[in-house]
Amino acid sequence: MTDTDHAAFGREWTRFASWLLAHSSCDHAALRGPAGREGLDELESRLGFPLHPELTALLELHDGTTDAGAVPAPRAVRPAGSFLPLQHRLCGAADIATMYEVLVEVGEDFVHTESPDDDEDSDDDEDLAARLHLCVPFALPDDGGFALVDHRPGPTYGHVYELGIGSGDLDGTLWATSLTALFRALSDAVETGTPFLHYWPTTTKDESGRAHLEWQIQP
């Protein structure tokens, strides 16, 4: 990532984080401090390949969010920090390493159970489920699944997908072509009240008056 690319990522993340601070401060407060160099090195060692520069930049800003439920909230309100669509929350370096191992197992199960007929119709270079060992999860929802960054060299390098493993969805949904593009789109959505894909941003207040960012699914 060039200095220009790094600046673009920082600008879009700052837009989104600034909106959280102004309109959903409990979500902003759930952001952890930066990941240390030792933690990032350990993560890359466990992955066996370098992190995408944008994901490195995100972790250098925030080592994920506090664990779900760590910030008290009324029962009707989702845990603070689950501010991405489908209530995904950012993961820290240690959690990413653990969830990557789960992701690899899911991919191996897919490859081993795929029938010969399926092999004729699929291309491992295009099939997301067949290349999960080259994807890195960076956010998790509460119901099983991953938001991940594609690390396969080639045209999809850096693409952001949502994989709903809890619902059996291994095809994945493209959220954005990069983390920079993702946070640009999310910032545009929350600033203008327009949808990101088919997720509409809203704010919900709990009984103490604290606002939480929600993403409502519209058909």
Side-chain angles (χ1 to χ4, degrees):
M1 185 164 64
T2 66
D3 290 343
T4 301
D5 294 336
H6 194 281
F9 171 79
R11 182 169 58 251
E12 299 306 336
W13 169 257
T14 298
R15 281 181 66 200
F16 184 69
S18 296
W19 188 94
L20 289 179
L21 180 61
H23 301 279
S24 186
S25 58
C26 61
D27 283 325
H28 189 274
L31 291 166
R32 292 173 173 160
R37 186 67 255 171
E38 182 177 349
L40 293 175
D41 289 344
E42 172 64 20
L43 172 57
E44 290 189 330
S45 176
R46 293 177 67 176
L47 294 175
F49 51 83
L51 279 175
H52 189 281
E54 289 181 325
L55 184 49
T56 298
L58 178 59
L59 288 167
E60 286 175 341
L61 290 170
H62 301 287
D63 192 25
T65 59
T66 54
D67 294 335
V71 179
R75 182 179 301 174
V77 177
R78 57 147 183 81
S82 302
F83 49 70
L84 298 177
L86 296 176
Q87 298 189 13
H88 280 74
R89 64 186 185 277
L90 297 177
C91 296
D95 290 333
I96 290 174
T98 298
M99 297 315 300
Y100 172 73
E101 295 175 0
V102 175
L103 196 64
V104 169
E105 291 180 2
V106 170
E108 289 176 346
D109 288 344
F110 170 81
V111 172
H112 292 157
T113 59
E114 192 177 45
S115 70
D117 290 340
D118 290 336
D119 284 342
E120 294 177 0
D121 297 328
S122 67
D123 183 344
D124 283 357
D125 286 340
E126 300 299 331
D127 200 326
L128 182 66
R131 65 170 189 262
L132 292 181
H133 61 291
L134 292 174
C135 295
V136 179
F138 71 94
L140 299 175
D142 294 329
D143 59 354
F146 303 92
L148 51 85
V149 177
D150 193 340
H151 281 61
R152 182 176 62 91
T156 63
Y157 180 66
H159 284 197
V160 180
Y161 296 92
E162 196 279 326
L163 199 67
I165 293 176
S167 60
D169 171 27
L170 292 181
D171 293 330
T173 299
L174 178 65
W175 270 8
T177 56
S178 66
L179 283 173
T180 297
L182 173 64
F183 288 114
R184 179 184 300 120
L186 294 178
S187 297
D188 288 344
V190 296
E191 289 173 359
T192 62
T194 54
F196 163 70
L197 301 180
H198 55 279
Y199 306 105
W200 288 76
T202 62
T203 53
T204 302
K205 289 187 177 180
D206 63 30
E207 59 192 20
S208 67
R210 299 180 305 175
H212 297 254
L213 174 60
E214 302 275 2
W215 296 91
Q216 302 293 330
I217 299 176
Q218 298 291 340

